[in-house]
Amino acid sequence: MPVDIIFFICCVILIGDVLVPEILGHGKSKDYPLWFWAGQQVLQGKDLYPSDPHSYFEFIYPPLPAVLLAIPAWFCKVALYTCLALLNVVAWWVAGQLSHAMTGSGRVPGQWLYFFSGLVTIEFVFDMFDLGQPNLVLLALMMYGFWSIQHQRPWMAGSMFALATAIKVFPIAVFPYLVWRRQWTVLASMTVFLVVFLFVV
């Protein structure tokens, strides 16, 4: 069976894991209701974070994800969950393509290599779909950033690193690496776009 057909079947199953409980069951659990809540908070002009620092923080992410989530959350939970699942599909495909592009020395990998790399990471991919975590999207953004550095596109690279950091803070760990490699233009780009994503948007 061709690898692209296997990939398509896996994507259908993983999207089903997200949507079937919401449509036919008692509702999707894990982080999915939190994303809908955050989007609704933005739509209704309410606070994402409590004013009392001793209160429980429902949303522990930067504000940009909530702003982005508000667009599909305007429709309904199913629309939001569908967008998140499809985004994970695209991120999974992009991450696979970029990993081969950056390590394949310009050669087209064989079908078995695609299959094996997907097989050994399927548990991680399933968790991202099931839990509703954005780590697969962050991986694709970071890999595109490194690919952009390879192809002398420092401003694009910096914007990708900044976007990943503005979604979930831990990609900021790339900052000391860029200092060590003296990627000053990438650092400048990342700083500028971080200001845009975290404060302007």
Side-chain angles (χ1 to χ4, degrees):
M1 182 180 294
V3 173
D4 53 352
I5 296 178
I6 297 176
F7 177 77
F8 176 77
I9 293 172
C10 289
C11 289
V12 170
I13 293 172
L14 292 169
I15 293 173
D17 176 66
V18 175
L19 297 182
V20 170
E22 183 62 35
I23 297 172
L24 302 178
H26 298 290
K28 184 63 178 173
S29 59
K30 309 300 192 318
D31 283 338
Y32 285 96
L34 174 63
W35 305 142
F36 184 74
W37 175 86
Q40 288 297 315
Q41 292 293 101
V42 172
L43 290 171
Q44 297 169 20
K46 297 181 180 179
D47 292 332
L48 286 169
Y49 313 104
S51 56
D52 181 2
H54 300 291
S55 299
Y56 180 75
F57 277 65
E58 294 283 350
F59 191 76
I60 58 172
Y61 298 86
L64 179 67
V67 175
L68 299 176
L69 290 165
I71 300 170
W74 184 81
F75 297 96
C76 62
K77 282 186 177 181
V78 173
L80 173 63
Y81 297 175
T82 301
C83 288
L84 293 176
L86 292 176
L87 188 60
N88 268 329
V89 167
V90 173
W92 188 17
W93 183 84
V94 168
Q97 297 300 313
L98 289 174
S99 66
H100 292 304
M102 290 191 290
T103 61
S105 301
R107 294 176 296 177
V108 178
Q111 293 288 296
W112 281 109
L113 183 57
Y114 273 114
F115 177 79
F116 181 73
S117 60
L119 181 65
V120 298
T121 58
I122 191 64
E123 183 179 358
F124 166 78
V125 173
F126 171 76
D127 280 346
M128 294 307 98
F129 278 84
D130 187 50
L131 300 175
Q133 278 290 302
N135 295 351
L136 195 57
V137 174
L138 301 183
L139 174 64
L141 291 173
M142 296 299 288
M143 291 184 71
Y144 187 66
F146 285 115
W147 182 87
S148 297
I149 291 176
Q150 281 188 346
H151 290 77
Q152 307 300 317
R153 299 174 183 174
W155 281 93
M156 178 60 74
S159 67
M160 292 297 101
F161 296 149
L163 180 57
T165 303
I167 293 173
K168 196 172 182 178
V169 178
F170 69 78
I172 195 69
V174 75
F175 207 87
Y177 169 80
L178 296 174
V179 172
W180 177 59
R181 294 303 297 259
R182 300 181 181 179
Q183 295 284 345
W184 308 124
T185 307
V186 180
L187 278 168
S189 171
M190 184 176 176
T191 303
V192 169
F193 279 101
L194 266 177
V195 170
V196 171
F197 292 143
L198 293 179
F199 296 101
V200 178
V201 174

